[in-house]
Amino acid sequence: MTAGIDTPDRRGRTGLDQHGRGLTGNPRVRIREVELLSCHWYVLRNTTFDYQHRDGHWSREQRETYDRGDGATVLLYCLETRTVLLTRQFRLPAYVNGHPDGMLLETAAGLLDDDDPEAAIRREAHEETGYRLGPIQRVFEAYMSPGSVTERLHFFAAPYDPARPATGGGIAEEGEDIDTVEIDFTRALQMIRTGAIADAKTIMLLQWAALDGPFRHAQDHRRGAD
């Protein structure tokens, strides 16, 4: 008997070795075996599959996938003050892979769990920043590391009121210790260039805000003045 397969794991899940077996959307891919490597909290699998190459020949391949569920993130912005509200928290994977202190500036984000994307990001934004979001804009969806991680991230943007103090901080019971940082939008773009902002989802939302989002016209005006 194996936890996560035929007996519940710590999160009550079984059948974790069945993921992907029934897929039929790509006739050039045939799933042969799914091995459960770990389900301590998220799920690590090793999948063996046959793949038909462009020239017609088939090869037997293996890939590990890390399944942590899908997530959502939101850029909080204020047009009047030309600021964005980001979070700062410690990220161990970044720290052990070269980031000076592991303290990353990020847009508020979290996993969907059992919620739909909009409900999830409203929950996460409130937990991390203290703000209850009003109107919210869906921006796009993206697979953040499709070579190994299954997560699909849902991107949103929403205005916030800087006159109201941020009172989040995360959930202490889950080990979260989150600061909020209000940054001038132009400075935030500069921080991408210097590496002071190095989180992918945050970079994507800031660049969207400049190119096609709430700060687009301000950026056009600046370019016209140069």
Side-chain angles (χ1 to χ4, degrees):
M1 304 292 281
T2 303
I5 297 180
D6 37 37
T7 61
D9 67 359
R10 60 184 293 183
R11 300 182 68 180
R13 301 170 297 191
T14 58
L16 295 178
D17 61 331
Q18 299 302 306
H19 189 74
R21 289 182 182 271
L23 293 176
T24 59
N26 189 339
R28 294 169 58 186
V29 178
R30 299 171 181 169
I31 305 296
R32 294 302 184 187
E33 182 180 359
V34 181
E35 179 187 5
L36 179 64
L37 301 179
S38 174
C39 58
H40 178 69
W41 190 253
Y42 304 131
V43 183
L44 180 64
R45 300 178 177 92
N46 183 49
T47 299
T48 302
F49 61 97
D50 293 337
Y51 180 76
Q52 186 181 34
H53 295 256
R54 289 176 297 170
D55 64 4
H57 86 277
W58 289 83
S59 66
R60 180 66 53 91
E61 307 289 343
Q62 285 190 332
R63 298 290 187 275
E64 289 186 1
T65 59
Y66 188 58
D67 184 354
R68 60 191 302 269
D70 291 343
T73 186
V74 62
L75 176 67
L76 300 180
Y77 66 89
C78 178
L79 285 176
E80 289 75 15
T81 59
R82 287 189 51 82
T83 55
V84 293
L85 187 70
L86 303 181
T87 66
R88 181 191 285 122
Q89 60 182 305
F90 177 68
R91 296 298 198 183
L92 177 64
Y95 186 46
V96 300
N97 193 32
H99 192 276
D101 58 8
M103 303 298 294
L104 264 62
L105 285 167
E106 307 178 30
T107 49
L111 296 178
L112 303 187
D113 294 327
D114 295 324
D115 289 330
D116 65 77
E118 182 173 329
I121 197 54
R122 289 182 180 277
R123 178 196 71 225
E124 292 294 332
H126 182 250
E127 289 176 358
E128 295 189 0
T129 72
Y131 284 98
R132 294 193 181 276
L133 303 184
I136 188 169
Q137 178 182 357
R138 181 185 293 271
V139 179
F140 48 70
E141 301 172 6
Y143 292 94
M144 298 302 290
S145 186
S148 58
V149 181
T150 63
E151 181 183 22
R152 177 172 52 187
L153 196 62
H154 301 261
F155 290 75
F156 295 90
Y160 78 100
D161 181 0
R164 293 174 47 212
T167 59
I171 300 177
E173 293 79 6
E174 296 181 2
E176 294 181 338
D177 181 24
I178 300 173
D179 292 329
T180 55
V181 183
E182 192 173 53
I183 304 175
D184 175 81
F185 181 70
T186 300
R187 178 169 175 257
L189 293 179
Q190 294 170 347
M191 293 172 73
I192 296 174
R193 301 184 186 99
T194 64
I197 292 179
D199 172 66
K201 64 182 180 294
T202 306
I203 293 172
M204 293 166 71
L205 276 173
L206 289 172
Q207 292 183 339
W208 164 82
L211 295 173
D212 198 35
F215 296 102
R216 178 186 60 188
H217 296 301
Q219 296 300 114
D220 291 343
H221 177 75
R222 284 171 177 265
R223 283 193 290 268
D226 289 343

